Amino acid sequence: MGKTVLIVEDEQSIVDILSYILTKEGYDTLEALDGPTGLQLALEQNPDLVLLDLMLPKMDGFEVCEKIRAAGSMVPIVMLTAREEEDDKVRGLELGADDYIIKPFKNRELVARVKANIRRMAMTAPIPPAQPAPGLTLGERLRVDEDRAAVFKDGAPLDLTQREYDLIRFLAARPGKVFSREALMEHVWNYEGYVGDVRAVDVAVRRLREKIEDDPGAPVFIKTKRGMGYYFGE
Ligand code: CA
């Protein structure tokens, strides 16, 4: 079955290029030239992925992203930004975007990002061995319920995004083992041989810590191994 990508971008020439590239790869595309239309199509047409420009008429990409998430949709969102500013990337990721691409982009990079983000959503179980038993209990306080794709702390469910759930589930199944940001990009974000910007990992870890740690500044669950990466403690 064909996958559908929603393109939200106000420059018709970029829409045309994106549509051409994606169609050639076998995707169906939907197009929106402003924020409100993009939001409406994202919620009503159930696309498999949203490519979201930041600077849009009527409602900018940040707001569209925030409203898609507020409506409960978990659709992968890849931001398109012409800007190099770290702030924009981080803000977008914090509002619930999964990834971003800097314009001008290479066709191959675009296709790789789209594929990786769709594949991640389609996966029912993350990779490597060491699968935790359903209902993995982590020390006294955390429990991963795989049937419900939920994590409980002290018996109370945590409000995690799909990515945050994937991340803690991956790390918690391998306690004490340190994973580099690149390795997490590969296993949790599902980029093969990823060598680019791994800031998304740091942002996700920070958000996850804010939700699961008593003191995010002194984490006991998701720990940092300086200069190496992250691991699950406890
Ligand atoms: Ca624009």
Side-chain angles (χ1 to χ4, degrees):
M1 207 183 70
K3 302 285 186 187
T4 302
V5 176
L6 168 61
I7 301 164
V8 188
E9 162 67 66
D10 59 321
E11 279 179 60
Q12 186 68 53
S13 62
I14 296 179
V15 173
D16 291 344
I17 292 167
L18 289 169
S19 179
Y20 172 77
I21 297 168
L22 292 170
T23 304
K24 219 170 65 172
E25 289 291 320
Y27 295 101
D28 295 323
T29 58
L30 292 165
E31 298 166 8
L33 295 170
D34 62 57
T37 309
L39 176 62
Q40 186 187 356
L41 290 176
L43 298 180
E44 291 177 359
Q45 300 293 319
N46 279 326
D48 295 286
L49 182 132
V50 180
L51 283 174
L52 181 60
D53 185 29
L54 285 183
M55 305 309 287
L56 291 165
K58 298 181 194 166
M59 183 192 294
D60 70 21
F62 292 121
E63 196 177 345
V64 173
C65 179
E66 198 172 18
K67 286 194 153 80
I68 289 173
R69 292 295 181 243
S73 169
M74 300 302 289
V75 63
I77 298 174
V78 177
M79 296 182 307
L80 294 168
T81 173
R83 296 187 282 181
E84 280 287 354
E85 277 108 45
E86 291 292 303
D87 286 355
D88 280 354
K89 300 180 197 170
V90 172
R91 185 171 167 215
L93 294 170
E94 288 185 335
L95 289 174
D98 295 279
D99 205 352
Y100 50 81
I101 297 177
I102 307 284
K103 290 188 281 191
F105 47 81
K106 293 199 173 69
N107 295 4
R108 276 182 53 194
E109 184 196 7
L110 173 89
V111 170
R113 296 285 178 107
V114 166
K115 273 189 184 155
N117 280 281
I118 289 180
R119 191 169 60 221
R120 183 180 61 76
M121 274 307 278
M123 274 197 320
T124 49
I127 346 155
Q131 290 293 311
L136 178 71
T137 301
L138 312 161
E140 296 285 294
R141 307 190 56 198
L142 281 189
R143 190 167 61 82
V144 177
D145 183 332
E146 298 205 355
D147 291 334
R148 282 189 279 179
V151 178
F152 295 81
K153 180 185 175 189
D154 299 332
L158 298 173
D159 183 20
L160 303 182
T161 64
Q162 179 69 39
R163 181 91 77 195
E164 288 160 357
Y165 171 78
D166 290 345
L167 179 58
I168 190 162
R169 180 179 178 278
F170 181 84
L171 289 173
R174 301 153 186 87
K177 179 157 172 47
V178 179
F179 290 92
S180 67
R181 291 166 176 78
E182 289 78 9
L184 291 171
M185 265 284 162
E186 187 171 336
H187 293 304
V188 179
W189 274 251
N190 212 24
Y191 292 129
E192 286 166 33
Y194 191 79
V195 289
D197 188 342
V198 290
R199 176 165 298 261
V201 176
D202 297 327
V203 172
V205 166
R206 193 170 78 229
R207 295 196 61 185
L208 189 52
R209 280 175 173 160
E210 281 167 9
K211 293 180 181 180
I212 70 171
E213 302 285 356
D214 294 332
D215 177 1
V220 298
F221 298 116
I222 307 290
K223 294 185 175 174
T224 303
K225 185 80 172 174
R226 193 183 292 268
M228 292 182 66
Y230 297 108
Y231 67 102
F232 189 84
E234 258 244 329

